[in-house]
Amino acid sequence: MVYIGSPPQSFALIVDTGSTITYVPCSSCSHCGTHQNPSFKPEESSTYTAIHCDDLDCELGACAHSSNLCNYARHYAEQSFSSGFLARDIVRFGKGSSGLPRPLLFGCETTESGNLFLQHADGIMGLGRGSLSVVDQLITQGAIASTFSLCYGGMDEDGGALILGSLTPIDEMVFTPSNPTRSSYYNVVLKEIWVEGVPLPVKPSVFDGRYGTILDSGTTFAYLPAKAFDVFKDAFVRGVKDLKEIDGPDENFQDICYSGAGNDPDNLSSYFPSIDFVFGDDKAISLAAENYLFRHPKHAGAYCLGFFQNEDSTTILGGIVARNMLVTYDREEEQIGFVRTKCTDLWKTLSAEARSASDNDSSIPPFANGDTDYEWINPSMPYLPPNRHPVSDSPHSPHQNNSQPQGKNHSDTDVVPKKRVHISDACSLLSFQLYVPFVGPCLRHLHVPLMVILVSTLWK
């Protein structure tokens, strides 16, 4: 939950590491869907300021001369679209957040289409690299250190954390380099995938196509290039033990699903193969079964593979890979860290620490000297359908709001499918505090941006 304006107006946002702009529907929106909360009303905020053509913050924006407003536009791979104008107002983060209110730039939506129009969430919180990113703005203001972390609860768990700023170092965390010049996506060098202790016969270059291997908290599942997926799928199938193969939840998708594994996610390793990622620096992380499986929505004790083929050469590691995995995006040291943890326990620990710090010294602003801000989320992830084309063929670089070739347009194309779904009664038993992209399959017929919800973010 994010609160914008004075007095604050509430919005449920999808936290997305693959987007660089935060936006919510504006009261002047001519084509916006019905979302969780009412649209933002600029006229009711005493601290609201529209960004005009002559504003320095519009140097990279497209100017609408008829209205003298600085416009933005955002295209997504699954063909949804958001546009509007830039504004600045006081932003407060959700309950439990230790951060003081901050003046931040955001998009005031006047048009949305596709899945953005259909989704239950109000909008998107961009955590990617770019001048409009929430992270970049807070870093520029000296509000947080140049790092943040995300942690999502397990297959059947609520709870998790978005940590803006640095954490106390964790000895067990595995760090691997991330090249900020490769693209605006957070990337790693994936060298090998091991299944049941055996490396796939795939050259490292296969995982390094186009944008390389990217982490996108707003994409629900994982996507491998065809040359890697075919080999991975075969190795996975060979590694499944004593289970019955069954049809997937949707006849339009050739899901790989099995029944007979029981309902306890902690026992899935007895039936499904071990999977390990080896990075370019030979550091490695092991995935639990919940990091590559999702529950079959129609059969108890049945599970389906959450890795799919990408028609593009980019490798995408979505939110499913981060279940009960604390992922730290260390921008200052240009590295990304991974450590298996119980995200619900982390949530409780951070909450207690934040309360203790506040009780001990309320005179110290939580954001002072690059301190850390905590935001708690319920990362049960609404189910989203696999996208056959998760990466766009657009020639435009993704998320390059601050580095367009012409340097004059906030309009850009997102190469990752931000799948979002309007939660139906099938998911009503799930309680989300923020929007995040996974959870047990609820809907499949809607093509929704995955950034989501997992926004990588949080579902309500």
Side-chain angles (χ1 to χ4, degrees):
M1 296 301 299
V2 168
Y3 306 89
I4 303 175
S6 303
Q9 301 174 43
S10 304
F11 302 95
L13 303 185
I14 290 166
V15 177
D16 183 28
T17 61
S19 288
T20 58
I21 184 171
T22 296
Y23 53 81
V24 298
C26 225
S27 57
S28 58
C29 187
S30 60
H31 189 264
C32 284
T34 301
H35 303 295
Q36 178 173 327
N37 294 287
S39 298
F40 178 68
K41 299 177 179 60
E43 65 277 8
E44 295 185 6
S45 174
S46 62
T47 49
Y48 167 84
T49 304
I51 303 302
H52 296 98
C53 295
D54 57 354
D55 193 297
L56 291 177
D57 289 313
C58 195
E59 287 183 357
L60 301 176
C63 184
H65 295 287
S66 58
S67 62
N68 194 33
L69 293 176
C70 183
N71 288 348
Y72 81 90
R74 170 62 102 190
H75 302 261
Y76 293 100
E78 81 290 344
Q79 305 306 311
S80 52
F81 174 76
S82 171
S83 66
F85 56 91
L86 296 181
R88 180 187 290 105
D89 209 333
I90 298 298
V91 176
R92 300 164 175 82
F93 297 99
K95 296 177 180 178
S97 168
S98 61
L100 296 177
R102 289 280 165 176
L104 298 177
L105 291 168
F106 66 98
C108 213
E109 263 191 324
T110 56
T111 303
E112 60 184 16
S113 65
N115 298 313
L116 291 174
F117 184 88
L118 297 172
Q119 71 181 19
H120 186 57
D122 299 306
I124 300 299
M125 179 194 286
L127 299 177
R129 296 187 180 105
S131 60
L132 296 180
S133 165
V134 165
V135 174
D136 281 73
Q137 291 188 66
L138 291 175
I139 292 171
T140 300
Q141 294 181 26
I144 63 171
S146 187
T147 184
F148 68 96
S149 302
L150 288 170
C151 197
Y152 300 110
M155 184 177 287
D156 299 323
E157 301 168 330
D158 287 339
L162 162 61
I163 303 118
L164 298 172
S166 59
L167 282 172
T168 301
I170 300 173
D171 293 338
E172 296 79 8
M173 180 166 278
V174 173
F175 282 99
T176 191
S178 179
N179 182 5
T181 64
R182 175 74 185 268
S183 75
S184 59
Y185 286 112
Y186 296 106
N187 57 71
V188 294
V189 176
L190 182 60
K191 179 181 177 182
E192 296 175 330
I193 296 179
W194 290 52
V195 179
E196 284 292 84
V198 178
L200 300 181
V202 177
K203 294 181 179 179
S205 59
V206 172
F207 302 113
D208 198 40
R210 201 180 187 189
Y211 297 107
T213 297
I214 64 174
L215 285 82
D216 190 334
S217 66
T219 293
T220 298
F221 299 111
Y223 295 83
L224 302 176
K227 290 182 179 179
F229 177 75
D230 290 340
V231 177
F232 174 83
K233 176 185 67 174
D234 292 343
F236 169 81
V237 171
R238 289 195 301 269
V240 176
K241 309 172 185 68
D242 303 323
L243 297 178
K244 178 184 178 181
E245 187 170 1
I246 61 174
D247 292 334
D250 189 328
E251 61 183 12
N252 295 319
F253 297 91
Q254 296 180 345
D255 287 322
I256 302 171
C257 304
Y258 296 89
S259 65
N263 291 319
D264 187 352
D266 292 337
N267 293 333
L268 294 181
S269 60
S270 301
Y271 301 95
F272 293 98
S274 62
I275 295 178
D276 301 281
F277 286 167
V278 180
F279 301 113
D281 55 358
D282 290 328
K283 300 288 183 61
I285 60 172
S286 296
L287 303 186
E290 65 181 354
N291 297 129
Y292 60 85
L293 297 174
F294 64 89
R295 282 192 181 277
H296 196 300
K298 298 179 180 179
H299 299 282
Y303 302 85
C304 305
L305 181 62
F307 278 54
F308 302 95
Q309 179 176 318
N310 192 356
E311 302 301 327
D312 185 270
S313 60
T314 300
T315 299
I316 303 172
L317 305 182
I320 192 171
V321 175
R323 283 174 169 165
N324 279 329
M325 180 88 74
L326 176 64
V327 181
T328 292
Y329 298 78
D330 186 345
R331 295 159 48 119
E332 183 173 356
E333 298 297 329
E334 298 181 0
Q335 60 183 0
I336 294 178
F338 304 85
V339 64
R340 291 287 305 169
T341 187
K342 192 74 170 177
C343 290
T344 50
D345 293 343
L346 176 68
W347 184 5
K348 297 172 185 176
T349 300
L350 292 176
S351 179
E353 289 179 355
R355 287 195 302 268
S356 176
S358 176
D359 293 341
N360 292 338
D361 193 348
S362 59
S363 65
I364 301 177
F367 271 144
N369 300 319
D371 205 347
T372 295
D373 178 41
Y374 302 130
E375 171 65 49
W376 288 275
I377 64 181
N378 281 340
S380 298
M381 296 180 283
Y383 176 74
L384 304 169
N387 189 331
R388 293 304 176 192
H389 303 283
V391 174
S392 167
D393 291 328
S394 166
H396 301 293
S397 296
H399 313 310
Q400 295 287 340
N401 287 331
N402 61 338
S403 58
Q404 288 294 317
Q406 307 304 318
K408 293 295 181 183
N409 201 332
H410 279 303
S411 175
D412 60 303
T413 300
D414 186 352
V415 302
V416 176
K418 301 310 181 186
K419 296 280 191 185
R420 306 178 184 83
V421 265
H422 182 81
I423 302 282
S424 71
D425 292 340
C427 290
S428 61
L429 69 162
L430 298 174
S431 172
F432 308 100
Q433 183 179 357
L434 256 83
Y435 288 78
V436 188
F438 337 69
V439 183
C442 297
L443 294 180
R444 186 127 186 187
H445 61 283
L446 292 179
H447 289 285
V448 282
L450 299 167
M451 67 201 275
V452 279
I453 309 180
L454 260 179
V455 152
S456 355
T457 277
L458 325 169
W459 277 88
K460 174 73 175 174

